[in-house]
Amino acid sequence: MAVVTKRIECKGETLLLTNQRAVFWPQNDMLILSDLHIGKTAHFRKSGVPISSNVLQKDLERLKTIIAYFRPKTILITGDLFHAEFNTDVMVFKTWMQQFKHINLILVKGNHDKHSFELYESLNIEILPHSLKKGPFVFTHNIKTLVDGEFYISGHTHPGVLIKGKGKQRIKLPCYQVTHQQLILPAFSLFTGLNTNIPSNLCANYAFTDLSVFKV
């Protein structure tokens, strides 16, 4: 799979938006992503819904590709690394992560990250309960009240954009949403819905496909 990037400037820093649902911050050798929801497919299978385990494998293959592409020192996850209770998908991820012991993994906890700290410790994950302030950015899972002067990088809402073509043709694409105070990341997991309800006049949408990242 190809990694395509789109360079944007935020608060004097360069950020690279990728078509693989993650952002790279070159100044800090940091890969930033959100909403992996590991364990979601196993959770549905346990409830009797026949969801393929290939969903998780495809997400992990994509993550491995962008790790190899950028070679980050740090991976920062802005919430919802996990989805539900401890299950087989979590064990798959735990085994998969053994190949990246050299990378510093940080999790700003999201509303779905309810596992015990023993699991996070076994994965060598640094846990932050609410937010991380680094450089000009505040990293958090979801922000409801914006503080003047701060710029937030968050996830949670699974942003998407509806693109209309000729006639009744239309397509929904995941996107990054950028305002003067916030960058909202797309959900990294492919097994998520898309929220297209935010009016486009309130933000700049950077949608992406397998071949490009473009401003809508």
Side-chain angles (χ1 to χ4, degrees), residues 144-155:
K144 295 181 180 179
T145 303
L146 301 174
V147 176
D148 288 345
E150 299 286 13
F151 190 94
Y152 299 88
I153 297 180
S154 61

Side-chain angles (χ1 to χ4, degrees), residues 5-8 14-18 22-26 70 176:
T5 65
K6 175 74 172 180
R7 174 175 173 167
I8 65 170
T14 295
L15 298 175
L16 301 179
L17 311 182
T18 78
V23 171
F24 186 62
W25 186 9
F70 290 111
Y176 302 86

Side-chain angles (χ1 to χ4, degrees), residues 10-11 136-138 149-153 178-183:
C10 291
K11 303 293 285 187
F137 304 129
V138 177
E150 299 286 13
F151 190 94
Y152 299 88
I153 297 180
V178 184
T179 71
H180 70 288
Q181 272 196 278
Q182 190 173 16
L183 164 59

Side-chain angles (χ1 to χ4, degrees), residues 56-71:
L56 174 62
Q57 292 300 329
K58 288 180 179 179
D59 284 343
L60 295 181
E61 287 172 11
R62 191 158 34 87
L63 181 54
K64 185 174 182 178
T65 295
I66 56 179
I67 290 173
Y69 185 88
F70 290 111
R71 300 186 181 278

Side-chain angles (χ1 to χ4, degrees), residues 19-178:
N19 66 330
Q20 302 299 338
R21 299 174 179 244
V23 171
F24 186 62
W25 186 9
Q27 180 68 22
N28 280 275
D29 286 327
M30 179 182 285
L31 188 66
I32 307 158
L33 53 150
S34 189
D35 297 277
L36 282 81
H37 288 279
I38 292 168
K40 186 175 182 179
T41 55
H43 176 74
F44 275 83
R45 287 195 299 273
K46 186 177 179 181
S47 301
V49 182
I51 303 297
S52 173
S53 60
N54 287 338
V55 174
L56 174 62
Q57 292 300 329
K58 288 180 179 179
D59 284 343
L60 295 181
E61 287 172 11
R62 191 158 34 87
L63 181 54
K64 185 174 182 178
T65 295
I66 56 179
I67 290 173
Y69 185 88
F70 290 111
R71 300 186 181 278
K73 292 181 179 178
T74 301
I75 296 177
L76 173 60
I77 300 167
T78 63
D80 287 358
L81 170 60
F82 299 112
H83 180 78
E85 73 283 345
F86 188 89
N87 57 38
T88 56
D89 280 0
V90 176
M91 285 304 300
V92 168
F93 177 71
K94 182 176 180 179
T95 301
W96 183 86
M97 276 299 301
Q98 297 303 308
Q99 64 190 302
F100 300 115
K101 290 183 178 180
H102 61 289
I103 298 178
N104 182 32
L105 184 59
I106 302 173
L107 170 65
V108 179
K109 293 185 74 174
N111 54 296
H112 281 280
D113 294 311
K114 297 177 181 178
H115 287 283
S116 66
F117 275 90
E118 287 78 10
L119 172 63
Y120 297 122
E121 289 174 356
S122 71
L123 289 169
N124 197 29
I125 301 175
E126 180 182 350
I127 303 298
L128 299 171
H130 303 296
S131 64
L132 168 66
K133 172 73 174 180
K134 190 170 183 63
F137 304 129
V138 177
F139 298 93
T140 189
H141 183 56
N142 185 33
I143 182 70
K144 295 181 180 179
T145 303
L146 301 174
V147 176
D148 288 345
E150 299 286 13
F151 190 94
Y152 299 88
I153 297 180
S154 61
H156 184 63
T157 60
H158 306 178
V161 62
L162 180 64
I163 300 176
K164 298 179 181 179
K166 293 182 178 180
K168 295 183 178 180
Q169 294 182 353
R170 54 183 61 193
I171 185 173
K172 286 184 179 180
L173 292 175
C175 71
Y176 302 86
Q177 292 182 331
V178 184

